[in-house]
Amino acid sequence: MNAAIQTNIARLQIMKAKVLAALRKGENYELKTELNSEYKERRKEAVRRVIANMTVGKDVSGLFTDVLKNMHTDDLEIKKLIYLYLINYAKTQPDLVILAINTFVKDAEDTNPLIRALAIRTMGCLHVQEVLDYLCDPLRKCLKDPSPYVRKTAVMCVAKVFDLNASIAEENGFVEGVRDALSDSNSMVVSNAVSALVEMNDMAPGNNVWSLDPSLVGKLLTAINECVEWGQIAILETLVEYTPRDEKEAENICERVLPRLQHANGSVVLTTVRLLLRYEQFVRRADLLTQFSKKMVPPLITLLSSEPEIQYVALRNINIILQRHPKLLSKEIRVFFCRYNDPIYVKYEKLDVLVRICSERNTEPLLNELKEYAKEVDVDFVSRAVQAISRLAIRYDSAAEKAIQVLLELLQTKVNHIVQSSMVAVQQIVRRYPRRFDSVIEGLCEYIDDVHEPDARAALIWILGEYSESIANISNILTSCLESFLEEEDEGVQLALVCAAVKFFLKSPQQGQTLVLKALQTATEKCSNPDVRDRAYIYWRLLSADPNAARSVVLTEKPPVELDNADLSPQLLEELLAELGCVSSVLQKPAKLFVYRLAEKAGVPRGSDMVGMGLEDADNALASGTAGSSSAGGGVIDTTNEGEPELLISF
């Protein structure tokens, strides 16, 4: 019976495979028939279906010759689709592409500039060596074409030819033609020429394809006013790399690019800011530098009125800029207050910026604002808001009183996640300002049953031990905590309890003798954690040998709590300022750690563990020669795959 069922299942599977194969074969056969139809509309619809199938990943390479037959058409839409098909399959069938050369050459001389540009663009995008010989004459003509649209397409095509064969591009004068295009009357052609030359320089850094000089800089500054946004970005990025001859030229360039700060495109604004920051080293007049700084503020603030994604990018870049100019946005603190409908990733960045730009005179309104954030429902956001309160108190002495008041109000809410975060913040402030807030210590004892998270519980127990002389019923509280000593899973809490018991004994020997004995016996005899046991043994032997020595060790003055250094290293900061407005500034990693071309130039192998490193770690790895190991489970990335992505990371 089972054998018969299995036989029938096998037959059904074979039939299913045959049906699917017939359907697939039938679809291509149907498309083949339609592509050869005598009716224009049917051929047009067939081409659309072929491109649709190609777009979703179906193999339609078998229709190559049939698609080629439809190239001879005046319909611009069909021509674009067929050219797209050719670009996709040119590398797999380079011999068949030669059949389309005559059509390309003919289209390159068409009366319609759109068709001429389409033909020259497609021939460049084919990236096939066999096409190169046929491309030279049309490309030479298109570089001198009367239509600026064709000329701007031609200069980009030169970069593709240069990538395929640099010697042919130079011997035929194409590179020189692109240099001449920098003097073109049309700004669109100029910006494309700049992009093409920069790209060729990157392809062959030793050839020195071109370099900026003062006369070219003047032409680019004239063209930038009429360029579209992408052209403006290309010119601005080129000017960023330019080194002015003297201070006067640097001032002139800065003043002429200042209007770009008013552009609606955020990338143009950030690239302009990058240029101004770069040229600060060449401008020595303090009044001009102050003027440039003031001009940067409004456009950066305007970016925060955009979509959340652009806000996030702007905030990440602002965070970097503020590390160079900490007081740049200090008067605009209210702009960075979180709105109720901000996405959480925007709120996180705003919190970091708020703490960074806050000055001593506006700590009070910011603390009131942070208090409201700490009452939100998002646990992580609440935790960050409370941390921001403690950071302000640690940074500014005058804000400590207000911060403690805010944190006590938050503790009174008895909301679990608020209480946990607030207790840790209170401990940090109390450590930063010892003996300054003795009056609030005893009131913290009422939260001993509300604090459950290890960090918060360890923080409260540390406060109890440090200020045991200020608490009336400290013995009962610590005894109650010791009863659940073995139930504590976190070693930090257990260590805090042992330390608190020893401190209480050293400050009040008569009252604390029984308690410390119980704590040390429990820790040494019943605790399974070796770190806790060793600490307890050290305390026990120290107390037995010399109580005065124990007092000098345990009750010694603690170093004040300092802010965690959230600033980037100077080297990394300079790298990121040079790449402001790029992916690097968002990831806060230099491009050489995740862009293949730049990584190889910097000596970072593909597939290297250095991709996830910081800049200093990566440089150390390069110096020690340990950069060649492949990432865990990832293996070495195939460097022969021409269609690979440009980034070593994924989003």
Side-chain angles (χ1 to χ4, degrees):
M1 185 68 177
N2 290 337
I5 292 174
Q6 291 178 355
T7 302
N8 289 333
I9 291 174
R11 287 174 179 172
L12 288 172
Q13 289 176 342
I14 292 171
M15 291 175 63
K16 178 182 177 182
K18 288 182 177 179
V19 169
L20 290 175
L23 286 173
R24 284 196 293 269
K25 180 179 179 182
E27 185 178 14
N28 277 353
Y29 181 78
E30 180 185 346
L31 287 171
K32 186 181 182 72
T33 304
E34 293 293 319
L35 287 169
N36 291 283
S37 173
E38 59 181 315
Y39 300 105
K40 181 179 177 180
E41 287 302 319
R42 293 177 66 177
R43 293 198 304 271
K44 186 174 182 178
E45 184 60 31
V47 171
R48 287 174 176 165
R49 287 174 58 191
V50 168
I51 300 303
N53 288 345
M54 182 185 76
T55 305
V56 298
K58 293 182 181 179
D59 183 17
V60 287
S61 58
L63 301 171
F64 200 93
T65 53
D66 300 290
V67 172
L68 280 181
K69 293 177 184 177
N70 291 275
M71 284 184 65
H72 304 285
T73 177
D74 295 330
D75 192 320
L76 189 58
E77 179 189 352
I78 295 301
K79 196 175 285 288
K80 286 181 178 179
L81 293 175
I82 294 174
Y83 281 1
L84 182 64
Y85 177 90
L86 292 175
I87 292 170
N88 192 58
Y89 287 110
K91 289 182 181 179
T92 58
Q93 303 193 39
D95 296 335
L96 291 177
V97 172
I98 302 299
L99 301 175
I101 290 299
N102 289 335
T103 306
F104 283 132
V105 174
K106 180 183 176 183
D107 285 350
E109 298 177 354
D110 196 275
T111 55
N112 188 339
L114 293 178
I115 293 179
R116 295 200 301 273
L118 182 62
I120 207 70
R121 179 193 295 121
T122 306
M123 290 179 76
C125 290
L126 291 176
H127 216 74
V128 176
Q129 189 71 36
E130 290 81 357
V131 176
L132 212 51
D133 295 335
Y134 303 94
L135 174 60
C136 292
D137 288 337
L139 180 56
R140 190 177 293 107
K141 294 177 183 177
C142 287
L143 283 171
K144 304 295 183 182
D145 196 277
S147 169
Y149 182 79
V150 178
R151 296 200 302 274
K152 71 104 177 176
T153 306
V155 296
M156 293 307 296
C157 184
V158 171
K160 300 182 187 302
V161 173
F162 188 91
D163 184 30
L164 197 59
N165 193 320
S167 59
I168 288 181
E170 292 177 351
E171 290 169 4
N172 284 274
F174 296 149
V175 177
E176 188 61 35
V178 178
R179 293 195 195 101
D180 293 340
L182 292 171
S183 303
D184 198 280
S185 59
N186 187 281
S187 59
M188 185 169 56
V189 179
V190 174
S191 61
N192 274 29
V194 170
S195 298
L197 289 168
V198 169
E199 193 172 337
M200 287 187 281
N201 251 349
D202 291 341
M203 293 174 194
N207 288 3
N208 193 20
V209 175
W210 82 305
S211 58
L212 272 179
D213 57 52
S215 61
L216 279 178
V217 169
K219 293 176 182 177
L220 296 184
L221 289 171
T222 302
I224 198 172
N225 296 319
E226 301 173 3
C227 289
V228 296
E229 52 200 18
W230 302 115
Q232 293 183 27
I233 294 168
I235 293 175
L236 287 169
E237 288 184 336
T238 304
L239 292 174
V240 168
E241 302 299 325
Y242 175 65
T243 302
R245 292 174 302 172
D246 50 36
E247 184 179 0
K248 185 176 180 181
E249 185 183 10
E251 292 175 2
N252 178 54
I253 293 173
C254 290
E255 288 174 354
R256 292 185 66 177
V257 300
L258 279 178
R260 301 304 104 213
L261 290 172
Q262 301 173 11
H263 201 281
N265 184 282
S267 186
V268 175
V269 171
L270 290 174
T271 309
T272 307
V273 171
R274 189 206 312 177
L275 185 145
L276 293 174
L277 292 174
R278 165 83 167 39
Y279 278 44
E280 282 180 349
Q281 58 185 306
F282 307 117
V283 179
R284 296 182 180 85
R285 285 176 53 190
D287 58 328
L288 268 182
L289 291 174
T290 304
Q291 178 189 345
F292 295 158
S293 296
K294 289 181 178 179
K295 293 278 188 180
M296 283 192 277
V297 173
L300 291 175
I301 298 301
T302 303
L303 290 177
L304 299 180
S305 303
S306 308
E307 296 81 2
E309 294 80 9
I310 295 179
Q311 286 186 52
Y312 177 76
V313 173
L315 287 165
R316 294 290 282 181
N317 282 274
I318 287 171
N319 203 314
I320 296 172
I321 295 169
L322 288 173
Q323 294 184 46
R324 169 70 73 84
H325 295 288
K327 298 181 180 180
L328 183 67
L329 299 169
S330 58
K331 296 181 181 179
E332 309 291 340
I333 190 169
R334 293 188 179 275
V335 177
F336 294 93
F337 284 177
C338 299
R339 293 192 290 265
Y340 75 95
N341 58 346
D342 280 338
I344 192 65
Y345 55 86
V346 171
K347 289 182 177 180
Y348 287 167
E349 293 303 319
K350 282 186 174 181
L351 276 180
D352 288 342
V353 173
L354 282 170
V355 174
R356 190 176 291 281
I357 66 176
C358 181
S359 60
E360 195 164 2
R361 60 186 175 82
N362 51 25
T363 52
E364 186 168 351
L366 181 53
L367 285 171
N368 290 330
E369 185 74 11
L370 292 172
K371 181 174 72 173
E372 298 303 317
Y373 299 162
K375 296 177 182 178
E376 297 280 349
V377 294
D378 188 283
V379 177
D380 291 335
F381 181 60
V382 168
S383 176
R384 292 195 182 212
V386 174
Q387 287 174 18
I389 293 173
S390 68
R391 288 170 64 188
L392 287 177
I394 292 170
R395 176 181 290 178
Y396 300 113
D397 181 279
S398 59
E401 296 280 353
K402 177 66 177 178
I404 285 290
Q405 179 186 342
V406 168
L407 291 171
L408 291 177
E409 291 177 15
L410 292 175
L411 286 170
Q412 291 170 5
T413 63
K414 295 294 182 80
V415 178
N416 183 44
H417 62 276
I418 298 178
V419 171
Q420 314 305 317
S421 300
S422 301
M423 190 59 71
V424 175
V426 168
Q427 185 236 16
Q428 291 174 345
I429 297 174
V430 168
R431 280 196 61 185
R432 181 66 178 85
Y433 305 103
R435 305 301 163 187
R436 181 171 170 180
F437 300 105
D438 290 11
S439 58
V440 305
I441 298 300
E442 190 161 5
L444 298 176
C445 299
E446 64 181 87
Y447 302 104
I448 191 69
D449 295 327
D450 300 320
V451 177
H452 307 296
E453 291 185 6
D455 289 345
R457 194 163 179 79
L460 178 55
I461 293 171
W462 181 90
I463 293 173
L464 296 178
E466 191 71 17
Y467 294 88
S468 57
E469 72 279 9
S470 303
I471 303 171
N473 59 338
I474 182 64
S475 179
N476 295 334
I477 295 173
L478 291 177
T479 301
S480 174
C481 292
L482 280 172
E483 291 175 358
S484 60
F485 181 86
L486 297 176
E487 299 174 8
E488 299 285 356
E489 296 181 358
D490 187 80
E491 70 172 88
V493 179
Q494 293 178 333
L495 289 170
L497 271 170
V498 172
C499 188
V502 173
K503 287 179 180 178
F504 176 48
F505 169 71
L506 291 172
K507 293 178 179 180
S508 306
Q510 298 298 327
Q511 297 178 0
Q513 185 172 2
T514 304
L515 180 67
V516 73
L517 186 62
K518 180 180 178 182
L520 295 176
Q521 283 179 339
T522 305
T524 54
E525 297 174 4
K526 300 179 181 180
C527 183
S528 59
N529 190 299
D531 292 335
V532 178
R533 277 203 314 273
D534 290 347
R535 180 77 67 86
Y537 276 125
I538 291 172
Y539 283 147
W540 202 328
R541 290 170 183 171
L542 198 57
L543 291 170
S544 302
D546 189 350
N548 290 327
R551 184 173 286 103
S552 64
V553 171
V554 178
L555 300 181
T556 186
E557 185 177 348
K558 279 76 175 174
V561 174
E562 299 292 342
L563 278 175
D564 292 336
N565 187 11
D567 291 345
L568 302 168
S569 66
Q571 183 185 2
L572 179 56
L573 178 60
E574 290 304 317
E575 290 253 5
L576 295 181
L577 284 171
E579 297 167 359
L580 204 69
C582 304
V583 178
S584 311
S585 59
V586 179
L587 298 177
Q588 299 200 347
K589 288 180 180 292
K592 70 180 184 182
L593 294 185
F594 59 86
V595 177
Y596 282 153
R597 173 171 45 79
L598 298 178
E600 289 176 348
K601 190 184 295 184
V604 182
R606 300 188 182 187
S608 170
D609 290 330
M610 291 174 61
V611 173
M613 293 182 181
L615 180 62
E616 293 180 357
D617 294 336
D619 288 340
N620 292 336
L622 280 173
S624 60
T626 58
S629 59
S630 60
S631 55
V636 178
I637 298 176
D638 180 16
T639 60
T640 62
N641 182 8
E642 295 182 353
E644 65 195 354
E646 183 66 5
L647 295 178
L648 290 171
I649 57 172
S650 58
F651 296 94

